[in-house]
Amino acid sequence: MIQLRPRAAAKYGAAFATALMVLTGCSSGVSGLRSTSATGASAPAPSPDPLTWSTCGKDLECATIKVPQEYTDPEGAQIPLAVMRHRATDPDQRIGSLIFNPGGPGVAATETLRNLPKTAGTPGAFSPAVLARFDVIAMDPRGVGQSQAVRCLTDQQRADAAGTSFAPAIPGGKPLPRLLADAAAFTDGCAKHQSKKFLASLSTDNVARDIDRVRAALGEKKISYYGLSYGTVVGPMYATLFPHRVRQMVLDAPVDTNQWFGNSLPFQNDVAVASERTLNAWFKTCRAEGAAVCPFGAGDPEAAFDTLIDTLEAKPLKIAPAQGGATPGGGLDGAMALETTRALAGDQNTWPLLTSALLAAQKGNGAPLYTLWSSVTVSPFPVPTAMFETHTAVRCADWKTPSGIAAHKAAATKATTEAKRIGTRAAYSALNCARWPAPNKDRITKPLTGAGAPPALVVAGRLDPVTPHHWAENMTRTMDAAVLLTREGVGHGSYGINSCVNKAVDTALLHGTHPADGTVCKTDTPATTRPLVPAKR
């Protein structure tokens, strides 16, 4: 989930600036972005008290709400959840509260809301019209961000994981015995550092119930909702459990909820294939534009890329620390270059930066790719980031993952066959869930139809690296009432980056009207692989 816009490089922020300066031979003192950091049986819970707000930033208010750890025991253990509100800028025209989930799972909604003014032009950035008429509400889901974020590893284990070398040619990046040992260490750490009951409670159905507690505490009869990526699992769950509490719902970059709650191995394979398609789209565009525009590979970018990955894996490039501490320095190997390429190829707006960084690495300058690699904080596959523990815990609470290793071996073979470059990243990526120590025995698995709720607007990119377009098609078939809007182009998430989509989403949220089902929005700017920094001749 990486976005870069010519008008706003905020998703990469400082890393973008640093990488660009490295490409041009300059240095910067800015810091990098890597953080170290369906109705289930439930008893009625007492109505929550109104939220007590305190100022926590410009135009922002914060509060805490306590919710039952398990709604089957509403008077039992309670979990504090962090809530943030951006008040409507035109209170006289206020419509109500708009709750949003920015995805992950594991992305902190409160942090995203705090940074919204800095991220205009990136997926999920609300328009001034929406901000004027809604109180935008961010709730960190249980186990995420300021709502008791899951931690399974010690600081030393986390540092060791971040420094682990992966082999891009090996499914899963390591020999299978190592992967199994890693999964055992991780899941044992989860069981040691977290309550198993808490881990089992991190399911999406509980998150939806938590949202309804927030709705009640806000004093709202109905809410509007915008969800991005994993947020499109939360939204249909809420609409299914509480259909008469929904005013309007927009689901951007949708997940196939039937797959999400089904066997996780085909789910991960779909993600790998989707990511491979966006990388292939970059290769195809580079070839089509020709060496005069895209000099990487001199007309054969696939061969040049494979050679570069093999070369970096055999002999990593040494990276000197950047002035000002933007990056600590280290080494760039093939696995790191592959992961960075996977992320950048997933958004056509970052293609010029990808071309520039690959050209630099080909000439022996690995600093741009290394700087960008250090900023990859969200990935559908296991990477040693600050979000990994939370991401895994939420998925394992929802997923149905085979416990037998034979199924994972077969899935690894399938992934590496159907996605020959990215498939190794997906292989064995569900091992942690296969031996998860806190099974969620009462998770909701029935189709999330949202029966009784107003029609949802489902927005999908034609080439999405994480949530393939056919998932959106499946979602519109599963939901009782949904309208599909497609955005042409490559990228994860459409609202905030495309003028046609922006207009449709704003109209849906503000006025409750939708475009015709099957409407297609053209990309605002044609994709190009032309490097940001011209190649030196």
Side-chain angles (χ1 to χ4, degrees):
M1 295 171 61
I2 294 175
Q3 304 293 334
L4 264 176
R5 309 289 146 210
R7 64 184 182 277
K11 191 71 175 183
Y12 259 131
F16 169 78
T18 301
L20 185 58
M21 288 182 177
V22 170
L23 282 163
T24 56
C26 302
S27 61
S28 169
V30 294
S31 299
L33 286 187
R34 186 169 199 143
S35 174
T36 56
S37 55
T39 305
S42 60
S47 297
D49 294 330
L51 293 169
T52 301
W53 298 99
S54 60
T55 301
C56 57
K58 187 175 187 289
D59 300 324
L60 297 175
E61 297 173 319
C62 291
T64 300
I65 185 172
K66 289 190 175 181
V67 299
Q69 180 170 280
E70 282 295 347
Y71 283 85
T72 53
D73 183 18
E75 300 289 351
Q78 304 288 299
I79 301 173
L81 303 180
V83 184
M84 183 181 286
R85 174 169 67 180
H86 182 285
R87 298 300 296 266
T89 58
D90 186 358
D92 292 340
Q93 299 297 317
R94 179 184 179 276
I95 293 173
S97 292
L98 170 62
I99 294 182
F100 84 108
N101 182 297
V107 176
T110 57
E111 181 180 357
T112 304
L113 181 58
R114 184 180 296 280
N115 290 325
L116 273 182
K118 306 172 188 175
T119 55
T122 60
F126 298 107
S127 70
V130 168
L131 293 173
R133 302 195 62 189
F134 286 98
D135 289 343
V136 178
I137 308 296
M139 179 196 81
D140 285 354
R142 52 178 63 201
V144 175
Q146 300 302 309
S147 298
Q148 296 189 187
V150 172
R151 287 291 178 263
C152 298
L153 304 175
T154 65
D155 290 344
Q156 185 59 53
Q157 287 175 313
R158 208 167 292 119
D160 290 344
T164 298
S165 179
F166 294 86
I170 298 177
K174 302 177 185 179
L176 183 54
R178 283 282 310 279
L179 293 174
L180 291 171
D182 287 350
F186 181 87
T187 53
D188 288 348
C190 292
K192 178 180 179 182
H193 297 293
Q194 305 282 176
S195 157
K196 290 184 180 180
K197 291 183 178 180
F198 173 66
L199 291 175
S201 81
L202 301 180
S203 57
T204 299
D205 53 289
N206 277 339
V207 173
R209 296 184 181 101
D210 295 341
I211 288 176
D212 202 58
R213 300 285 288 172
V214 172
R215 175 205 58 77
L218 290 168
E220 302 278 19
K221 291 183 177 180
K222 294 187 177 185
I223 58 166
S224 297
Y225 179 87
Y226 169 82
L228 174 66
S229 196
Y230 166 72
T232 68
V233 182
V234 177
M237 180 68 78
Y238 185 83
T240 300
L241 294 179
F242 307 101
H244 302 298
R245 298 298 188 187
V246 178
R247 177 190 163 273
Q248 291 296 322
M249 182 168 287
V250 175
L251 306 170
D252 189 358
V255 173
D256 182 349
T257 54
N258 296 316
Q259 281 231 59
W260 178 264
F261 294 104
N263 186 333
S264 61
L265 300 183
F267 176 93
Q268 287 292 76
N269 190 79
D270 268 11
V271 177
V273 171
S275 197
E276 186 87 5
R277 285 174 180 158
T278 61
L279 177 56
N280 288 338
W282 181 84
F283 287 140
K284 181 179 179 180
T285 305
C286 181
R287 283 198 313 274
E289 291 188 309
V293 173
C294 180
F296 181 76
D300 192 354
E302 292 99 325
F305 179 75
D306 292 340
T307 297
L308 177 62
I309 297 300
D310 290 344
T311 300
L312 291 173
E313 191 61 19
K315 188 177 181 180
L317 290 173
K318 294 182 179 179
I319 312 297
Q323 293 182 15
T327 54
L332 176 77
D333 63 18
M336 295 159 69
L338 177 61
E339 175 60 16
T340 308
T341 299
R342 178 204 63 76
L344 291 169
D347 180 351
Q348 67 187 46
N349 293 283
T350 60
W351 284 3
L353 183 58
L354 173 59
T355 307
S356 299
L358 290 175
L359 285 167
Q362 199 175 48
K363 297 176 182 297
N365 176 13
L369 273 178
Y370 182 82
T371 300
L372 294 164
W373 172 82
S374 72
S375 302
V376 178
T377 57
V378 181
S379 173
F381 311 122
V383 290
T385 69
M387 269 185 48
F388 175 54
E389 290 150 271
T390 295
H391 187 73
T392 301
V394 175
R395 296 191 307 179
C396 295
D398 277 353
W399 282 3
K400 179 181 179 182
T401 302
S403 58
I405 192 61
H408 293 263
K409 287 182 177 179
T413 299
K414 182 178 174 66
T416 54
T417 300
E418 296 184 3
K420 66 177 184 178
R421 294 181 177 88
I422 307 300
T424 57
R425 298 287 298 113
Y428 299 111
S429 58
L431 284 181
N432 289 327
C433 292
R435 66 182 322 277
W436 193 241
N440 177 19
K441 298 178 181 179
D442 62 352
R443 67 193 183 96
I444 290 177
T445 59
K446 73 176 188 176
L448 302 184
T449 64
L457 178 60
V458 177
V459 187
R462 182 73 72 188
L463 276 176
D464 189 304
V466 181
T467 55
H469 191 271
H470 70 267
W471 283 4
E473 296 169 351
N474 291 344
M475 174 173 280
T476 57
R477 284 191 287 265
T478 298
M479 298 191 77
D480 272 21
V483 170
L484 177 61
L485 176 66
T486 297
R487 171 193 51 80
E488 297 291 0
V490 177
H492 185 57
S494 300
Y495 178 58
I497 69 167
N498 179 278
S499 59
C500 170
V501 171
N502 295 349
K503 181 178 179 181
V505 171
D506 283 358
T507 301
L509 292 174
L510 295 169
H511 307 297
T513 56
H514 296 156
D517 186 34
T519 297
V520 175
C521 288
K522 296 181 180 179
T523 183
D524 284 346
T525 306
T528 181
T529 58
R530 182 186 295 275
L532 289 176
V533 180
K536 294 181 180 179
R537 297 184 182 278

